[in-house]
Amino acid sequence: MTEIFAGSFTQQEPIPDEAIEAALRVMRSGRLHRYNVAEGDPGEVALLEQEFAAAMGAKYCLAVASGGYALACALRAVGVRPGDKVLTNAFTLAPVPGAIASVGAVPVFVGVTEGLVIDLDDLAAKADEADVLMLSHMRGHLADMDRLMAICDTAGIRVIEDCAHTMGARWRGRLSGTDGVIGCYSTQTYKHLNSGEGGFLITDDSGVMARAVMLSGSYMLYDRHLAAPDAQAFEAVRYDTPNISGRMDHLRAAILRPQLRRLAEQCDRWNARYRAVEEGLRGTPGLSVVERPAEEYFVGSSIQFLLLDWAGERVQEAIRRCAARGVELKWFGGAEPQGFTSRYDSWRYAPSEPMPATDRVLRGIVDMRLPLTFSIEDCRLIARIIRAEVGAVWQAG
Ligand SMILES: *Cc1c(COP(=O)(O)O)cnc(C)c1O
């Protein structure tokens, strides 16, 4: 009998009851705006920022309206101006080059390796082209952060980390988002905490955080923040920093606080699912598993494998056959971007030179979400289906 998988690749877990009750309390209070607080109550947003800063080991944290907003706010907060070049990954999602374009800056794309991380040789070669690297830990793959920071420190490049897929991940024990000047996170539904939309920005730099808080739309109410520098840091920036509203509200913060307390446990649950799929795929003819470095603690909320040097039609055939058995795969190699699978050459507002080695990797990347609603047994079944269908197409070719 042919096995079929019936689960949904976009179905996340329900919001925990504790979070729902906290959200009801906020709604009953009528006070949803972050600066609308009762006497003596710091409010959900300020408390969440304090808790997220503590969880990441950062001095300061700002909660904002989305991950994309956090990225653009970070660029502004470090002083990127219209026309400036910003280094970034050729393999990432559209909000990353989009954030760079939103401040009038110009992305300079850096290639991707077969390990699905930023190509550090290419980064070193392009290091004199820009003063800022917006580093996307795309799909949770961490580059050698020691070597990356050495390259950037030597070249005087400031690093903004896009940790949309690495909240809770670590490189040699250091939490993702704490190596660069700023770490940015998303709490959009498909990431590691779920508030529908939302994001964070962390830093240890008081000037950067003061600007970020002003930018996010704090008016002159910055003293209501608990994870921000003291009033003195704001004196230097309060008249010179535009208000570009993008605050988080108490309702989303209320939903996030209980989820944050379970983050480490959830990361382990994702990884158990990831390892089950990985184990089932290992050894499939024609398919390369992406080996994870021992220095990396990752969060396996999605998994990628490579069909390197396959003809496009055969990749499509394998994906079609998996889809017919209920397994939803996304391919970064298609001629046209679909869903979230755009590439550096799809972003025509940001012209780029062709990168043949990167194109070869991109043409081979197949991606799959791993929501926590899947059981370990589901993951084993999914791997069996991929193994059978990819194997069949490989053998026929
Ligand atoms: C989701 C995502 C973002 C943006 O987050 P939003 O909260 O959706 O704006 C940025 N970078 C990557 C890699 C993402 O996956």
Short mmCIF file of all heavy atoms in Angstrom, two decimals, residues 26 30-38 41-50 61-65 199-200 209 212-213 216-219 221-228 246-253:
data_model
loop_
_atom_site.label_atom_id
_atom_site.label_comp_id
_atom_site.label_asym_id
_atom_site.label_seq_id
_atom_site.Cartn_x
_atom_site.Cartn_y
_atom_site.Cartn_z
N VAL A 26 -5.73 41.77 28.88
CA VAL A 26 -5.38 43.02 28.18
C VAL A 26 -6.62 43.60 27.52
O VAL A 26 -6.92 44.79 27.64
CB VAL A 26 -4.27 42.78 27.13
CG1 VAL A 26 -4.13 44.00 26.22
CG2 VAL A 26 -2.96 42.44 27.80
N GLY A 30 -8.83 47.35 28.18
CA GLY A 30 -8.98 48.42 27.20
C GLY A 30 -7.66 49.10 26.86
O GLY A 30 -7.61 49.94 25.97
N ARG A 31 -6.59 48.75 27.55
CA ARG A 31 -5.29 49.41 27.32
C ARG A 31 -4.44 48.51 26.42
O ARG A 31 -3.77 47.61 26.90
CB ARG A 31 -4.58 49.66 28.65
CG ARG A 31 -5.28 50.68 29.54
CD ARG A 31 -4.49 50.97 30.81
NE ARG A 31 -4.39 49.80 31.68
CZ ARG A 31 -5.29 49.45 32.60
NH1 ARG A 31 -6.36 50.18 32.81
NH2 ARG A 31 -5.12 48.35 33.31
N LEU A 32 -4.44 48.77 25.12
CA LEU A 32 -3.71 47.94 24.17
C LEU A 32 -2.43 48.60 23.67
O LEU A 32 -1.46 47.93 23.33
CB LEU A 32 -4.60 47.56 22.97
CG LEU A 32 -5.47 46.32 23.19
CD1 LEU A 32 -6.56 46.57 24.22
CD2 LEU A 32 -6.05 45.82 21.89
N HIS A 33 -2.44 49.91 23.59
CA HIS A 33 -1.25 50.64 23.13
C HIS A 33 -0.13 50.51 24.18
O HIS A 33 -0.41 50.60 25.37
CB HIS A 33 -1.61 52.11 22.94
CG HIS A 33 -0.55 52.91 22.27
ND1 HIS A 33 0.57 53.37 22.94
CD2 HIS A 33 -0.43 53.32 20.98
CE1 HIS A 33 1.33 54.04 22.08
NE2 HIS A 33 0.76 54.02 20.89
N ARG A 34 1.11 50.33 23.74
CA ARG A 34 2.17 50.02 24.69
C ARG A 34 2.40 51.11 25.74
O ARG A 34 2.84 50.82 26.85
CB ARG A 34 3.49 49.69 24.00
CG ARG A 34 4.22 50.85 23.35
CD ARG A 34 5.68 50.47 23.08
NE ARG A 34 6.42 50.25 24.32
CZ ARG A 34 7.57 49.61 24.41
NH1 ARG A 34 8.14 49.12 23.33
NH2 ARG A 34 8.18 49.48 25.56
N TYR A 35 2.11 52.37 25.38
CA TYR A 35 2.34 53.43 26.36
C TYR A 35 1.09 53.76 27.16
O TYR A 35 1.08 54.67 27.98
CB TYR A 35 2.89 54.69 25.66
CG TYR A 35 4.24 54.41 25.01
CD1 TYR A 35 4.42 54.56 23.64
CD2 TYR A 35 5.32 53.98 25.77
CE1 TYR A 35 5.64 54.30 23.04
CE2 TYR A 35 6.55 53.70 25.19
CZ TYR A 35 6.70 53.85 23.82
OH TYR A 35 7.91 53.58 23.24
N ASN A 36 0.02 53.01 26.93
CA ASN A 36 -1.21 53.18 27.69
C ASN A 36 -1.16 52.18 28.86
O ASN A 36 -1.55 51.02 28.72
CB ASN A 36 -2.41 52.92 26.77
CG ASN A 36 -3.75 53.24 27.43
OD1 ASN A 36 -4.77 52.74 27.00
ND2 ASN A 36 -3.75 54.05 28.47
N VAL A 37 -0.63 52.63 30.00
CA VAL A 37 -0.45 51.72 31.13
C VAL A 37 -1.08 52.31 32.39
O VAL A 37 -1.18 53.53 32.53
CB VAL A 37 1.06 51.44 31.38
CG1 VAL A 37 1.63 50.56 30.28
CG2 VAL A 37 1.86 52.71 31.50
N ALA A 38 -1.49 51.42 33.30
CA ALA A 38 -2.08 51.88 34.56
C ALA A 38 -0.93 52.26 35.51
O ALA A 38 0.18 51.74 35.40
CB ALA A 38 -2.93 50.78 35.17
N ASP A 41 1.96 49.94 36.79
CA ASP A 41 2.06 48.73 35.96
C ASP A 41 2.92 49.03 34.73
O ASP A 41 2.57 49.89 33.93
CB ASP A 41 0.63 48.32 35.52
CG ASP A 41 0.63 47.09 34.60
OD1 ASP A 41 1.69 46.44 34.47
OD2 ASP A 41 -0.43 46.82 34.00
N PRO A 42 4.04 48.33 34.57
CA PRO A 42 4.90 48.61 33.41
C PRO A 42 4.27 48.21 32.08
O PRO A 42 4.66 48.71 31.03
CB PRO A 42 6.16 47.79 33.68
CG PRO A 42 5.82 46.83 34.77
CD PRO A 42 4.56 47.28 35.44
N GLY A 43 3.29 47.31 32.13
CA GLY A 43 2.63 46.86 30.89
C GLY A 43 3.34 45.66 30.28
O GLY A 43 4.51 45.41 30.51
N GLU A 44 2.58 44.93 29.47
CA GLU A 44 3.07 43.67 28.89
C GLU A 44 4.28 43.88 27.98
O GLU A 44 5.20 43.07 27.97
CB GLU A 44 1.94 43.00 28.09
CG GLU A 44 0.75 42.54 28.92
CD GLU A 44 1.03 41.29 29.73
OE1 GLU A 44 1.91 40.50 29.35
OE2 GLU A 44 0.36 41.11 30.76
N VAL A 45 4.28 44.95 27.19
CA VAL A 45 5.36 45.12 26.20
C VAL A 45 6.70 45.35 26.91
O VAL A 45 7.70 44.71 26.59
CB VAL A 45 5.07 46.26 25.20
CG1 VAL A 45 6.22 46.38 24.20
CG2 VAL A 45 3.76 46.00 24.45
N ALA A 46 6.71 46.25 27.88
CA ALA A 46 7.96 46.54 28.59
C ALA A 46 8.46 45.30 29.32
O ALA A 46 9.67 45.02 29.35
CB ALA A 46 7.76 47.70 29.56
N LEU A 47 7.54 44.54 29.89
CA LEU A 47 7.95 43.31 30.59
C LEU A 47 8.50 42.29 29.61
O LEU A 47 9.51 41.63 29.87
CB LEU A 47 6.76 42.73 31.38
CG LEU A 47 6.33 43.57 32.59
CD1 LEU A 47 4.99 43.07 33.15
CD2 LEU A 47 7.41 43.54 33.68
N LEU A 48 7.83 42.16 28.47
CA LEU A 48 8.31 41.22 27.45
C LEU A 48 9.73 41.60 27.00
O LEU A 48 10.60 40.74 26.84
CB LEU A 48 7.36 41.22 26.25
CG LEU A 48 7.84 40.42 25.03
CD1 LEU A 48 7.93 38.93 25.33
CD2 LEU A 48 6.91 40.66 23.82
N GLU A 49 9.95 42.89 26.78
CA GLU A 49 11.29 43.34 26.35
C GLU A 49 12.34 42.98 27.39
O GLU A 49 13.44 42.51 27.06
CB GLU A 49 11.29 44.85 26.11
CG GLU A 49 10.54 45.24 24.84
CD GLU A 49 10.24 46.72 24.73
OE1 GLU A 49 10.26 47.43 25.77
OE2 GLU A 49 9.98 47.19 23.62
N GLN A 50 11.98 43.19 28.65
CA GLN A 50 12.91 42.86 29.73
C GLN A 50 13.21 41.35 29.73
O GLN A 50 14.36 40.93 29.84
CB GLN A 50 12.27 43.28 31.05
CG GLN A 50 13.20 43.43 32.20
CD GLN A 50 12.48 44.02 33.41
OE1 GLN A 50 11.33 43.67 33.70
NE2 GLN A 50 13.16 44.92 34.10
N CYS A 61 16.48 45.61 24.70
CA CYS A 61 15.58 44.96 23.73
C CYS A 61 14.43 45.91 23.40
O CYS A 61 13.93 46.62 24.27
CB CYS A 61 15.01 43.67 24.33
SG CYS A 61 13.71 42.93 23.32
N LEU A 62 14.05 45.91 22.14
CA LEU A 62 12.88 46.67 21.69
C LEU A 62 11.96 45.71 20.96
O LEU A 62 12.38 45.00 20.05
CB LEU A 62 13.34 47.79 20.73
CG LEU A 62 12.24 48.60 20.04
CD1 LEU A 62 11.47 49.45 21.06
CD2 LEU A 62 12.84 49.49 18.95
N ALA A 63 10.67 45.69 21.34
CA ALA A 63 9.68 44.87 20.64
C ALA A 63 9.01 45.75 19.58
O ALA A 63 8.69 46.91 19.84
CB ALA A 63 8.63 44.35 21.62
N VAL A 64 8.84 45.21 18.39
CA VAL A 64 8.31 46.00 17.27
C VAL A 64 7.22 45.24 16.51
O VAL A 64 6.87 44.11 16.86
CB VAL A 64 9.44 46.43 16.30
CG1 VAL A 64 10.39 47.43 16.98
CG2 VAL A 64 10.21 45.22 15.79
N ALA A 65 6.73 45.87 15.45
CA ALA A 65 5.55 45.37 14.74
C ALA A 65 5.82 44.16 13.86
O ALA A 65 4.91 43.38 13.57
CB ALA A 65 4.96 46.50 13.89
N GLY A 199 8.07 41.41 16.18
CA GLY A 199 9.51 41.23 16.09
C GLY A 199 10.24 41.87 17.25
O GLY A 199 9.63 42.57 18.08
N PHE A 200 11.54 41.60 17.32
CA PHE A 200 12.41 42.17 18.35
C PHE A 200 13.71 42.63 17.72
O PHE A 200 14.12 42.10 16.69
CB PHE A 200 12.83 41.12 19.39
CG PHE A 200 11.75 40.55 20.22
CD1 PHE A 200 11.34 39.23 20.04
CD2 PHE A 200 11.15 41.30 21.22
CE1 PHE A 200 10.36 38.67 20.82
CE2 PHE A 200 10.16 40.75 22.01
CZ PHE A 200 9.76 39.43 21.81
N MET A 209 20.41 51.62 20.70
CA MET A 209 19.07 51.33 21.23
C MET A 209 18.27 52.61 21.43
O MET A 209 17.07 52.63 21.16
CB MET A 209 19.17 50.54 22.55
CG MET A 209 17.83 50.09 23.10
SD MET A 209 16.67 49.27 21.94
CE MET A 209 17.36 47.64 21.77
N ALA A 212 16.91 53.39 18.11
CA ALA A 212 15.88 52.42 17.70
C ALA A 212 14.56 52.71 18.42
O ALA A 212 13.48 52.66 17.81
CB ALA A 212 16.35 50.99 17.98
N VAL A 213 14.63 53.03 19.71
CA VAL A 213 13.41 53.31 20.47
C VAL A 213 12.71 54.56 19.92
O VAL A 213 11.49 54.56 19.71
CB VAL A 213 13.73 53.46 21.98
CG1 VAL A 213 12.53 54.01 22.75
CG2 VAL A 213 14.18 52.11 22.57
N SER A 216 11.11 53.78 16.56
CA SER A 216 9.93 52.89 16.60
C SER A 216 8.65 53.64 16.93
O SER A 216 7.56 53.09 16.81
CB SER A 216 10.14 51.76 17.61
OG SER A 216 10.05 52.25 18.93
N GLY A 217 8.80 54.90 17.37
CA GLY A 217 7.60 55.69 17.64
C GLY A 217 7.32 55.83 19.12
O GLY A 217 6.19 55.62 19.57
N SER A 218 8.36 56.21 19.89
CA SER A 218 8.19 56.30 21.35
C SER A 218 7.75 57.69 21.79
O SER A 218 7.55 57.92 22.97
CB SER A 218 9.49 55.94 22.05
OG SER A 218 10.51 56.84 21.67
N TYR A 219 7.60 58.63 20.81
CA TYR A 219 7.37 60.03 21.20
C TYR A 219 8.42 60.40 22.24
O TYR A 219 9.59 60.10 22.03
CB TYR A 219 5.92 60.22 21.66
CG TYR A 219 4.96 59.75 20.60
CD1 TYR A 219 4.41 58.47 20.64
CD2 TYR A 219 4.68 60.56 19.49
CE1 TYR A 219 3.57 58.03 19.61
CE2 TYR A 219 3.85 60.11 18.47
CZ TYR A 219 3.29 58.85 18.54
OH TYR A 219 2.49 58.40 17.54
N LEU A 221 8.23 59.20 25.36
CA LEU A 221 7.80 58.31 26.44
C LEU A 221 8.80 57.19 26.69
O LEU A 221 8.47 56.15 27.27
CB LEU A 221 6.42 57.71 26.10
CG LEU A 221 5.32 58.76 25.89
CD1 LEU A 221 4.07 58.12 25.29
CD2 LEU A 221 4.98 59.43 27.23
N TYR A 222 10.04 57.41 26.24
CA TYR A 222 11.04 56.34 26.32
C TYR A 222 11.37 55.92 27.74
O TYR A 222 11.88 54.84 27.96
CB TYR A 222 12.32 56.75 25.56
CG TYR A 222 12.78 58.16 25.81
CD1 TYR A 222 13.44 58.50 26.99
CD2 TYR A 222 12.56 59.16 24.87
CE1 TYR A 222 13.85 59.80 27.22
CE2 TYR A 222 12.97 60.46 25.09
CZ TYR A 222 13.62 60.78 26.27
OH TYR A 222 14.01 62.05 26.51
N ASP A 223 11.02 56.76 28.72
CA ASP A 223 11.31 56.34 30.11
C ASP A 223 10.37 55.22 30.58
O ASP A 223 10.57 54.66 31.65
CB ASP A 223 11.26 57.54 31.07
CG ASP A 223 9.88 58.18 31.09
OD1 ASP A 223 9.08 57.92 30.16
OD2 ASP A 223 9.60 58.94 32.04
N ARG A 224 9.39 54.86 29.76
CA ARG A 224 8.52 53.73 30.13
C ARG A 224 9.11 52.39 29.69
O ARG A 224 8.49 51.34 29.89
CB ARG A 224 7.13 53.91 29.51
CG ARG A 224 6.47 55.14 30.09
CD ARG A 224 5.01 55.22 29.78
NE ARG A 224 4.53 56.54 30.18
CZ ARG A 224 3.36 57.04 29.86
NH1 ARG A 224 2.54 56.31 29.12
NH2 ARG A 224 3.01 58.23 30.26
N HIS A 225 10.28 52.42 29.06
CA HIS A 225 10.94 51.16 28.66
C HIS A 225 11.78 50.64 29.82
O HIS A 225 12.42 51.41 30.53
CB HIS A 225 11.85 51.41 27.45
CG HIS A 225 11.10 51.61 26.18
ND1 HIS A 225 11.19 50.75 25.12
CD2 HIS A 225 10.22 52.58 25.80
CE1 HIS A 225 10.41 51.18 24.13
NE2 HIS A 225 9.81 52.29 24.52
N LEU A 226 11.77 49.32 29.99
CA LEU A 226 12.57 48.71 31.06
C LEU A 226 13.87 48.11 30.52
O LEU A 226 14.78 47.84 31.29
CB LEU A 226 11.77 47.59 31.73
CG LEU A 226 10.48 48.01 32.44
CD1 LEU A 226 9.75 46.79 32.97
CD2 LEU A 226 10.77 49.00 33.55
N ALA A 227 13.95 47.87 29.21
CA ALA A 227 15.14 47.25 28.63
C ALA A 227 15.79 48.21 27.64
O ALA A 227 16.21 47.84 26.55
CB ALA A 227 14.77 45.94 27.94
N ALA A 228 15.86 49.50 28.04
CA ALA A 228 16.46 50.54 27.21
C ALA A 228 17.45 51.32 28.07
O ALA A 228 17.39 51.25 29.29
CB ALA A 228 15.38 51.46 26.68
N GLY A 246 6.30 51.77 14.50
CA GLY A 246 6.32 50.32 14.29
C GLY A 246 6.35 49.59 15.61
O GLY A 246 7.06 48.61 15.78
N ARG A 247 5.56 50.12 16.57
CA ARG A 247 5.57 49.55 17.92
C ARG A 247 4.84 48.22 18.00
O ARG A 247 3.97 47.92 17.20
CB ARG A 247 4.87 50.52 18.90
CG ARG A 247 5.55 51.86 19.09
CD ARG A 247 4.61 52.82 19.82
NE ARG A 247 3.38 52.99 19.06
CZ ARG A 247 3.21 53.94 18.14
NH1 ARG A 247 4.15 54.82 17.89
NH2 ARG A 247 2.06 54.01 17.48
N MET A 248 5.17 47.46 19.04
CA MET A 248 4.35 46.30 19.38
C MET A 248 3.28 46.75 20.38
O MET A 248 3.45 47.77 21.07
CB MET A 248 5.21 45.20 20.02
CG MET A 248 4.40 43.95 20.35
SD MET A 248 5.39 42.61 21.00
CE MET A 248 6.04 41.93 19.48
N ASP A 249 2.16 46.02 20.43
CA ASP A 249 1.09 46.36 21.37
C ASP A 249 1.01 45.32 22.50
O ASP A 249 1.59 44.24 22.39
CB ASP A 249 -0.25 46.46 20.64
CG ASP A 249 -0.56 45.17 19.91
OD1 ASP A 249 -1.08 44.24 20.55
OD2 ASP A 249 -0.24 45.06 18.70
N HIS A 250 0.26 45.64 23.55
CA HIS A 250 0.17 44.77 24.73
C HIS A 250 -0.46 43.41 24.43
O HIS A 250 -0.16 42.41 25.07
CB HIS A 250 -0.65 45.44 25.83
CG HIS A 250 0.02 46.61 26.46
ND1 HIS A 250 1.35 46.61 26.82
CD2 HIS A 250 -0.45 47.84 26.81
CE1 HIS A 250 1.67 47.77 27.35
NE2 HIS A 250 0.60 48.54 27.36
N LEU A 251 -1.36 43.40 23.44
CA LEU A 251 -2.06 42.14 23.14
C LEU A 251 -1.07 41.09 22.64
O LEU A 251 -1.04 39.96 23.12
CB LEU A 251 -3.14 42.43 22.08
CG LEU A 251 -4.20 41.39 21.82
CD1 LEU A 251 -4.83 40.92 23.12
CD2 LEU A 251 -5.26 41.98 20.88
N ARG A 252 -0.24 41.49 21.70
CA ARG A 252 0.74 40.53 21.18
C ARG A 252 1.79 40.19 22.23
O ARG A 252 2.23 39.04 22.34
CB ARG A 252 1.43 41.12 19.96
CG ARG A 252 0.50 41.21 18.79
CD ARG A 252 1.29 41.58 17.59
NE ARG A 252 0.69 42.70 16.90
CZ ARG A 252 1.22 43.27 15.84
NH1 ARG A 252 2.38 42.86 15.37
NH2 ARG A 252 0.61 44.26 15.25
N ALA A 253 2.17 41.20 23.01
CA ALA A 253 3.18 40.94 24.05
C ALA A 253 2.63 39.93 25.07
O ALA A 253 3.35 39.04 25.53
CB ALA A 253 3.57 42.24 24.74
#
